[in-house]
């Protein structure tokens, strides 16, 4: 029962996470905001961003080693690329 409560709390936390700007956020923020992205993958996102420049599309996240298209798809609604919405 404790396991189920802990799992529910974890899922609930991610369900209410704020969208994250993958072009500016630190690894901890990315890991806390995206499902299926732990600290190691978040660090890989930052390393890729540093070497290749800002992500131009959410789909570009799949170019990061260890992150597949399914992970990108389930997180699309929580990923932003710019600090302000386009008008």
């Amino acid at each position: 029962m404790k396991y189920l409560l802990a799992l529910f709390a974890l899922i609930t936390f991610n369900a209410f996470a704020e969208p994250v700007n993958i072009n500016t956020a630190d690894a901890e923020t990315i890991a806390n905001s995206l499902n299926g992205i732990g600290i190691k993958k978040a660090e890989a996102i930052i390393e890729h961003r540093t070497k290749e420049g800002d992500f131009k599309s959410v789909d570009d996240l799949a170019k990061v080693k260890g992150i597949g298209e399914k992970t990108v798809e389930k997180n699309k609604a929580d990923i932003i690329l710019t600090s302000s919405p386009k008008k």
Side-chain angles (χ1 to χ4, degrees), residues 1 13-14 20-21 25 32 37-38 41 49 57-58 60 66 69 85-86:
M1 184 67 171
F13 172 76
N14 280 339
V20 62
N21 185 330
N32 288 334
I37 304 291
K41 287 183 184 177
R49 179 179 78 199
S57 162
V58 173
D60 288 343
E69 292 178 15
K86 291 182 180 181

Side-chain angles (χ1 to χ4, degrees), residues 5-56:
L5 289 174
L7 183 60
F8 179 72
L10 184 62
I11 291 169
T12 303
F13 172 76
N14 280 339
F16 296 111
E18 292 286 322
V20 62
N21 185 330
I22 59 172
N23 287 326
T24 60
D26 61 32
E28 186 175 339
T29 302
I30 293 170
N32 288 334
S33 298
L34 300 179
N35 290 314
I37 304 291
I39 195 69
K40 294 292 184 187
K41 287 183 184 177
E43 289 169 350
I45 291 170
I46 292 174
E47 183 178 339
H48 185 276
R49 179 179 78 199
T50 301
K51 289 181 180 176
E52 304 294 328
D54 285 353
F55 293 92
K56 305 290 186 232

